[in-house]
Amino acid sequence: MNISYLTETENADFLSEFALRYPSCANNADASKNKNGLFIFISHTQMSKTPRMPRQPGAVFLINKITNPSSGNSRYPEILFRHPFNESGISDSEIFALYAAAERFFERKNIHFFICPADTENIKHVSEIKKWAQIRAQFEPDASHFRQNAAELTQSERDTAEKVITQLKLTQTQRHDFLRCLVNCKLRGGFPEAEISEFAFANPAGKKERSAVYDKLKQKLNFIDY
Amino acid sequence: MTSSSKNSTSLITKMYSHIYIEKEAENYPVTMRIKGILKCSEIIEITHYKDVFNERGQDFLMQKNRPKLILAVKRENLIYKGSPMCNSFGYENFYYTSCVMNCPYNCEYCYLQGMYPSGNIVVFVNIDDILESAAKLSKQKPFICVSYDTDLLAMEKLLGYAGEWIEFCRQNPEITVELRTKSASFANLANYAAPANFILAITLSPDEIIDLYEHKTPKLGRRIEFINHAVKAGWKVRICLDPVLYVRGYAQIYRKFIDDVFAKINARDITDVSFGVLRLPKDFYKRAAKNGVKTELFAYPFADDSQGATYSKQHAENLRGVIYGGLLEYMPKGKIFE
């Protein structure tokens, strides 16, 4: 997973920095580029912007709530991963806007905003954040957490499917539909070799007959009896 | 935290690690109770639960695995008319309530996956308002289901809502309440006497189905033990075989399952049995797919009609035949509902 860092200092115009890094931000076509990336924003903002932040010298805070003081609206970054930092909210219209912009390029669970109070040892805390980000970036969803039972056809199964597709002269739409149907059958109870093999030898005469044979094939696949 | 734990569950936050609390919900007794139990959870103040619950781009599956809590005040629609997709058991006036949105369990066939944009759990802390709305219906002698969109008994230690409904039944004998659960913890009921108008509806499935599709739920053996404890303590128990799934070997699996259940439970002790084949609300898949839900159970070519979606007529009939035929050997016809 790629990690993008953006660090704000008191004098930096971070919105320009963001636009510079993602010049295509006006172009939605590139929005999918960073879907799998991690976006870390580190702000060394003044304490006055974080009235609720406990005054702990040297503390780094992960932001769990961003409020726009002019509208009163709030956004809540997803916190799905354990971390060693304190948490806090922040009331800042620029950071609110930055979060909204980041959402266009990164998945919400991959956006992490941090605050380091301006009067602390910046280098040490930035390196703590980067260390956590490295671990976070290596995280892969475990099969035991997520039920993503996606079946794929093996090469030999694909070859069998292609024989039927060629024999029945299926259109592109029908081909796509047929392959999806085969994946569903495989998910439900195994690749339906027996059910489709006879269709590899079918010899429909015209377009109408081909359509009828295909409908029969789909009916057979969709409603396999157990 | 080390890099060797990159695939470990230790990287994911604990269940209920964060509690989002509406400002209006701050001072309710349930809020105090939850904060007292989950002392280490991070508290975040919010204006309205939908600000968090309806956020776009949420990772539904990760949330479902380790949900956060959202405490809110329910302001409207405290009671709903019962859905025609659900059994009303012969009651003319059938209602349901949602004191909690989302369930701590994680069943792959659950309709909640296509209903909510978030896997986090919303608890409506103004339970007294919901009970008051329900009490107003007493003249209708209604049947009210209180645990459809969640499992209240599974969350009893945290919320105490099953206890509230039990006490409600005692005070409102004209109202029949059903609490549906997959929980097997009898300790949650041990301190209560069973009211005659309170029905515990326990969902049972074969262990093969539980292992594959009913994540985080107790095994069949534990649920059967719970039923026997409950019956002995005087509770009215309904057994729910719902949903019945069209899986490979379904006839043998469900036949053996029914025999095993009634080998361990005395059928005469059971109030009634209900069963239903898998059926899902209309347009469920689009929403479930948007939430990233993928399960082989939805790889069936369901067709939407005005009621929703279910198996083909033939497959549904075959399933019904196995279940109904099996149940008839143990229960009289009048006590089997579909």
Side-chain angles (χ1 to χ4, degrees):
Chain A
M1 195 184 266
N2 297 320
I3 312 175
S4 302
Y5 291 99
L6 187 64
T7 306
E8 177 222 40
T9 62
E10 287 199 32
N11 294 323
D13 181 353
F14 64 83
L15 285 175
S16 301
E17 179 67 21
F18 192 78
L20 199 67
R21 284 188 192 211
Y22 307 107
S24 57
C25 65
N27 178 5
N28 272 334
D30 285 336
S32 61
K33 250 196 214 168
N34 294 309
K35 275 294 176 192
N36 289 326
L38 201 59
F39 180 73
I40 307 284
F41 172 71
I42 305 171
S43 171
H44 301 285
T45 194
Q46 294 163 2
M47 293 294 277
S48 59
K49 286 188 175 178
T50 54
R52 295 194 181 187
M53 189 183 294
R55 299 214 163 227
Q56 293 174 27
V60 173
F61 294 88
L62 175 66
I63 298 304
N64 57 27
K65 178 180 176 183
I66 306 170
T67 302
N68 184 347
S70 38
S71 65
N73 292 336
S74 295
R75 302 300 306 279
Y76 303 89
E78 280 229 83
I79 302 186
L80 297 170
F81 299 93
R82 290 192 184 204
H83 59 84
F85 311 105
N86 297 300
E87 289 188 25
S88 176
I90 188 167
S91 182
D92 187 300
S93 52
E94 286 176 341
I95 292 181
F96 185 91
L98 177 61
Y99 183 79
E103 273 190 307
R104 296 179 63 189
F105 297 94
F106 297 90
E107 291 189 3
R108 279 188 70 236
K109 68 178 182 215
N110 292 339
I111 301 172
H112 305 287
F113 277 37
F114 291 89
I115 300 283
C116 298
D119 53 355
T120 60
E121 301 164 18
N122 294 339
I123 295 169
K124 177 185 161 194
H125 294 302
V126 168
S127 110
E128 265 173 29
I129 292 170
K130 289 190 173 181
K131 198 169 149 186
W132 177 81
Q134 290 292 337
I135 295 168
R136 164 74 187 84
Q138 288 169 43
F139 177 79
E140 286 157 19
D142 189 346
S144 62
H145 302 309
F146 311 108
R147 308 179 323 271
Q148 297 198 4
N149 304 320
E152 282 184 15
L153 301 181
T154 61
Q155 191 53 53
S156 123
E157 287 164 354
R158 280 198 166 268
D159 291 342
T160 309
E162 287 297 338
K163 274 189 198 142
V164 175
I165 290 166
T166 308
Q167 192 66 20
L168 297 186
K169 295 191 175 86
L170 297 185
T171 62
Q172 278 302 317
T173 308
Q174 285 173 330
R175 179 179 181 277
H176 178 76
D177 189 41
F178 175 55
L179 288 172
R180 193 164 50 98
C181 199
L182 287 177
V183 167
N184 283 344
C185 285
K186 190 172 176 182
L187 278 172
R188 293 204 311 271
F191 186 76
E193 181 98 38
E195 282 81 6
I196 67 171
S197 54
E198 63 176 272
F199 291 89
F201 303 101
N203 207 4
K207 189 177 173 182
K208 209 172 172 181
E209 203 181 317
R210 279 204 302 272
S211 211
V213 169
Y214 177 61
D215 286 344
K216 193 176 163 192
L217 167 62
K218 263 198 73 179
Q219 185 74 9
K220 196 164 187 180
L221 290 180
N222 279 340
F223 301 107
I224 291 173
D225 287 329
Y226 291 143
Chain B
M1 204 184 299
T2 64
S3 57
S4 63
S5 60
K6 68 175 180 176
N7 289 343
S8 166
T9 53
S10 66
L11 272 180
I12 305 175
T13 50
K14 284 189 313 183
M15 206 154 155
Y16 311 149
S17 62
H18 291 66
I19 308 175
Y20 297 86
I21 306 179
E22 275 186 2
K23 208 166 178 179
E24 230 182 288
E26 277 284 328
N27 297 319
Y28 279 81
V30 174
T31 306
M32 301 301 179
R33 176 186 170 129
I34 292 170
K35 282 167 83 171
I37 294 170
L38 301 174
K39 291 189 178 75
C40 296
S41 296
E42 191 74 34
I43 307 289
I44 302 166
E45 189 186 278
I46 61 176
T47 312
H48 195 284
Y49 78 91
K50 288 184 182 180
D51 295 342
V52 181
F53 196 68
N54 288 7
E55 272 267 32
R56 12 167 230 284
Q58 298 183 75
D59 193 314
F60 182 89
L61 291 180
M62 279 193 76
Q63 286 174 350
K64 204 72 182 86
N65 201 33
R66 303 283 175 93
K68 311 274 191 289
L69 276 180
I70 304 172
L71 307 188
V73 173
K74 198 162 176 58
R75 295 166 183 88
E76 53 192 10
N77 297 329
L78 302 187
I79 295 264
Y80 300 92
K81 263 279 187 189
S83 162
M85 291 182 81
C86 301
N87 204 318
S88 62
F89 299 95
Y91 284 86
E92 203 182 312
N93 299 306
F94 168 38
Y95 296 88
Y96 77 96
T97 74
S98 280
C99 330
V100 177
M101 286 162 59
N102 260 332
C103 184
Y105 298 134
N106 201 3
C107 302
E108 290 198 17
Y109 49 70
C110 187
Y111 68 94
L112 294 178
Q113 295 171 116
M115 193 155 139
Y116 298 135
S118 172
N120 292 325
I121 298 176
V122 178
V123 176
F124 293 111
V125 296
N126 54 330
I127 181 70
D128 288 337
D129 294 340
I130 295 172
L131 293 171
E132 204 180 298
S133 285
K136 286 180 185 161
L137 299 171
S138 61
K139 280 194 182 140
Q140 295 181 34
K141 295 193 175 33
F143 171 62
I144 305 179
C145 293
V146 303
S147 190
Y148 265 179
D149 298 341
T150 185
D151 193 316
L152 285 184
L153 203 60
M155 299 186 72
E156 183 60 7
K157 279 203 179 103
L158 190 61
L159 304 181
Y161 279 6
E164 295 282 352
W165 283 106
I166 291 167
E167 184 53 35
F168 171 86
C169 281
R170 216 182 310 287
Q171 293 171 9
N172 296 277
E174 326 75 26
I175 299 178
T176 305
V177 166
E178 181 203 86
L179 187 143
R180 194 163 288 216
T181 184
K182 287 188 171 109
S183 170
S185 177
F186 187 71
N188 289 332
L189 292 176
N191 294 334
Y192 302 105
N197 52 334
F198 184 93
I199 302 173
L200 264 178
I202 293 141
T203 302
L204 298 182
S205 301
D207 267 327
E208 292 93 328
I209 301 293
I210 292 173
D211 290 342
L212 284 174
Y213 308 120
E214 294 183 6
H215 307 288
K216 301 192 196 178
T217 63
K219 299 272 268 178
L220 177 62
R222 284 194 53 216
R223 297 188 211 180
I224 290 176
E225 242 177 73
F226 173 63
I227 289 175
N228 285 328
H229 281 311
V231 151
K232 201 171 169 188
W235 295 87
K236 278 191 172 155
V237 171
R238 165 173 294 148
I239 290 178
C240 300
L241 310 185
D242 200 348
V244 178
L245 303 175
Y246 190 74
V247 294
R248 197 170 274 274
Y250 72 91
Q252 294 84 352
I253 289 171
Y254 279 103
R255 185 64 235 214
K256 181 175 177 301
F257 157 69
I258 292 171
D259 291 340
D260 285 348
V261 165
F262 289 103
K264 293 170 185 154
I265 294 174
N266 188 340
R268 283 197 212 98
D269 293 337
I270 302 302
T271 302
D272 50 40
V273 177
S274 78
F275 74 94
V277 300
L278 181 65
R279 63 224 170 275
L280 298 161
K282 220 175 165 186
D283 295 334
F284 165 87
Y285 312 101
K286 286 179 206 163
R287 292 195 294 273
K290 217 173 163 184
N291 282 339
V293 171
K294 292 178 194 175
T295 167
E296 59 256 33
L297 293 175
F298 298 155
Y300 187 93
F302 298 104
D304 273 338
D305 64 19
S306 57
Q307 291 279 302
T310 185
Y311 297 121
S312 73
K313 200 171 167 191
Q314 187 59 56
H315 288 169
E317 280 305 317
N318 292 348
L319 273 170
R320 278 191 199 101
V322 168
I323 301 296
Y324 193 66
L327 289 174
L328 266 182
E329 290 190 20
Y330 300 98
M331 301 286 293
K333 208 172 173 180
K335 284 193 173 187
I336 304 174
F337 293 88
E338 190 188 350

